[in-house]
Amino acid sequence: MKFQKKALDEKNNEYGAKIDSLNEKIKIKEIEVVRIKNEIIQVDKKGTFLPVEMDKLKTSNNSLTDKKIEFIKSKASLFLNDIDNDNVSVSFSTLNHRISSFIGGWNEWLHDEYSIEKATLMSDSAEKTIDKWLEGKEATAK
C-alpha cells in the first residue's frame, strides 16, 4: 500500500506539474488575446478617423492646387496683357540662338531629303528670309 501511495503521489505531482505548465500557457495565451483585442480596437479607431483625415488632406491639397492655379492664371493674365499691348520684351540673342538651332536641323533634313544643289538653294533661301525677318524685328524693337 505504501508503494501504491508513493506511485500515486508521484503521478499526482506529475499531473500537478503538467496542470501548472498548462495553466501558465493559458495565462500567456490570455495575455496575447488581450493584446490582440487592444490592437483591433486601435485599428478600429484609426479606421473611423481615416475618412476624416482623408477629407482634410483632400481639402488641403485642393486649396494648394487652387492657389497654384490662381498664381498661374495671374501670370498668364500679365503675359497676355503685355502681348495685347505690344509690350513684349524679346532677347534677340536668345531668339537668334533658337533660330540657328532650328535652321541647323532644317539644313540637315534638307540635305537628307534632296540633292546637294537643291538643298543648298533652299537653305540659302531660308537664311535670307530669316535675316530679312530679323532685321525687320530689330528695327521695330528700337
Side-chain angles (χ1 to χ4, degrees), residues 93-106:
S93 63
T94 303
L95 184 61
N96 279 326
H97 176 71
R98 291 190 178 164
I99 290 171
S100 294
S101 295
F102 174 78
I103 288 299
W106 175 252

Side-chain angles (χ1 to χ4, degrees), residues 15 75 78-79 109 111 134 138:
Y15 288 139
K75 283 289 193 181
L78 290 173
F79 287 129
W109 181 80
H111 285 282
L134 282 174
E138 286 176 4

Side-chain angles (χ1 to χ4, degrees), residues 68-80:
K68 287 182 178 182
I69 288 171
E70 207 47 50
F71 175 77
I72 291 170
K73 282 182 178 179
S74 70
K75 283 289 193 181
S77 175
L78 290 173
F79 287 129
L80 289 173

